[in-house]
Amino acid sequence: MKIFIDTAKIDEIQEAFSWGIIDGVTTNPSLIKSALDELKNKGEKIDIETYIKNILEIAKGFPVSLEVIGSNFEEMYKEAKILYEKFNKISNNVVIKIPINPSLGEKGNYDGLKTIYKLSKDGIPVNVTLIMKVEQAILASKAGAKYVSPFAGRIDDYLRNKIKWNDFKKEDYYPENGIKFKEEVINDEGILSGVDLVRKIVDVFNKYNFETEIIAASIRNSRQVRELAQTGVHIATVPFYVLSEMLVHNKTAEGMRKFVQDVVPEYRNVFYK
Ligand code: G3P
């Protein structure tokens, strides 16, 4: 499984790349807002184009997803071209993120699919975002997407909200096989959790040898990463705090303390005389 980092914070991207475990970067307008807000609070001046260039340079050799901001075909296609033309020349690693359904209301529009198809035909790699159902992933792949990004954590949020369960923290674990409530496992048309959504997309894509890679996104905790890995998903895009959580275990720390305590002078002398 590849691991992407889901952030627009340069210090986090730089740090995670220095560990040799990162295979790509995903951003979106909310992640860019959070990164820039942090800098603005420190009183730093921001040149957004230089900022994006820095990210692309750090991630050289690995894909970086940059998202459009429009909600119809004309806007999204134009913005995708602007992003690609401005930034792909830096490190040749730009992927354009397009929402599967850019409609802001209940009803769908087909502009996402149209944009995915046109950009893919132009040879521009597309990461289709805001995937909440298997059916959307199938359509995105058929339209030519290089990646689809199912939002696991947001599906868990949605399932909790169905039973008005509001007192949970964003990073709380949600069981991959769902939660029983009044004799029924809470589900979204048969989807039991975010991990279950990803598992079902993996299953369908494997059955038909779809070439589109699946990026499990909206990941909230370390256990979710493990369960996603067990689905065989190609990629998990992980926020920095989850990467840290993946590393930590009480017994590892306890073991470490004991090793440090047990170093005898003779052994220390091997290294430090
Ligand atoms: O990659 C998508 C991700 O950034 C959304 O995460 O936690 O806001 O649902 P979240």
Side-chain angles (χ1 to χ4, degrees):
M1 183 179 71
K2 290 182 192 162
I3 298 181
F4 287 7
I5 183 160
D6 195 30
T7 185
K9 293 184 181 167
I10 287 192
D11 52 347
E12 293 184 347
I13 295 171
Q14 209 149 25
E15 175 66 24
F17 265 100
S18 77
W19 309 333
I21 56 132
I22 297 296
D23 305 292
V25 179
T26 50
T27 72
N28 60 40
S30 308
L31 293 172
I32 289 183
K33 177 181 185 307
S34 156
L36 298 196
D37 281 352
E38 200 172 275
L39 296 176
K40 285 176 199 165
N41 287 339
K42 287 187 201 155
E44 286 186 32
K45 273 204 148 183
I46 303 145
D47 169 357
I48 183 66
E49 296 200 9
T50 308
Y51 190 87
I52 293 173
K53 282 178 192 164
N54 285 341
I55 294 179
L56 297 170
E57 274 161 8
I58 298 167
K60 196 175 168 68
F62 300 97
V64 177
S65 291
L66 300 173
E67 189 159 337
V68 296
I69 57 174
S71 49
N72 63 49
F73 170 76
E74 288 71 25
E75 289 167 353
M76 291 191 294
Y77 185 68
K78 189 175 116 193
E79 292 159 6
K81 288 278 180 180
I82 291 172
L83 284 174
Y84 203 73
E85 272 153 31
K86 259 190 193 181
F87 297 116
N88 194 49
K89 56 184 177 243
I90 311 297
S91 301
N92 194 29
N93 57 350
V94 170
V95 172
I96 302 296
K97 239 179 171 181
I98 302 288
I100 181 65
N101 178 0
S103 159
L104 304 180
E106 291 288 301
K107 285 233 164 103
N109 73 42
Y110 310 105
D111 288 16
L113 286 174
K114 204 167 148 183
T115 316
I116 298 158
Y117 179 55
K118 185 88 170 71
L119 290 170
S120 304
K121 281 264 172 227
D122 293 347
I124 296 179
V126 177
N127 173 2
V128 181
T129 191
L130 289 172
I131 297 279
M132 305 292 174
K133 52 202 278 194
V134 179
E135 298 89 316
Q136 292 174 327
I138 294 170
L139 292 175
S141 178
K142 297 281 296 176
K146 169 115 178 88
Y147 303 101
V148 287
S149 291
F151 273 36
R154 292 204 194 175
I155 288 299
D156 296 341
D157 296 344
Y158 183 63
L159 294 170
R160 286 180 176 107
N161 288 337
K162 278 190 164 218
I163 54 159
K164 312 263 179 282
W165 171 7
N166 296 318
D167 63 335
F168 64 91
K169 291 201 291 293
K170 192 176 172 182
E171 61 275 17
D172 284 352
Y173 172 71
Y174 190 89
E176 62 175 320
N177 293 322
I179 287 172
K180 221 172 172 190
F181 181 74
K182 291 187 183 161
E183 300 306 305
E184 202 196 11
V185 178
I186 311 160
N187 70 88
D188 179 28
E189 295 186 357
I191 300 296
L192 309 179
S193 68
V195 172
D196 189 44
L197 167 66
V198 173
R199 185 189 296 118
K200 287 179 166 127
I201 297 173
V202 170
D203 184 41
V204 171
F205 279 28
N206 284 346
K207 281 196 170 102
Y208 292 97
N209 295 321
F210 281 10
E211 282 174 15
T212 307
E213 286 185 76
I214 304 159
I215 307 178
S218 181
I219 294 176
R220 307 288 178 71
N221 55 66
S222 151
R223 183 166 173 183
Q224 201 179 26
V225 177
R226 183 238 299 167
E227 290 174 354
L228 287 164
Q230 287 178 302
T231 69
V233 73
H234 305 103
I235 302 156
T237 189
V238 180
F240 192 87
Y241 81 87
V242 176
L243 288 174
S244 309
E245 203 184 297
M246 286 168 72
L247 196 62
V248 175
H249 193 283
N250 279 338
K251 292 298 279 182
T252 305
E254 185 190 293
M256 193 57 209
R257 286 192 292 273
K258 178 81 175 119
F259 287 152
V260 167
Q261 194 188 324
D262 286 348
V263 176
V264 290
E266 296 84 342
Y267 191 47
R268 174 169 295 278
N269 283 342
V270 173
F271 312 95
Y272 310 102
K273 279 235 162 70

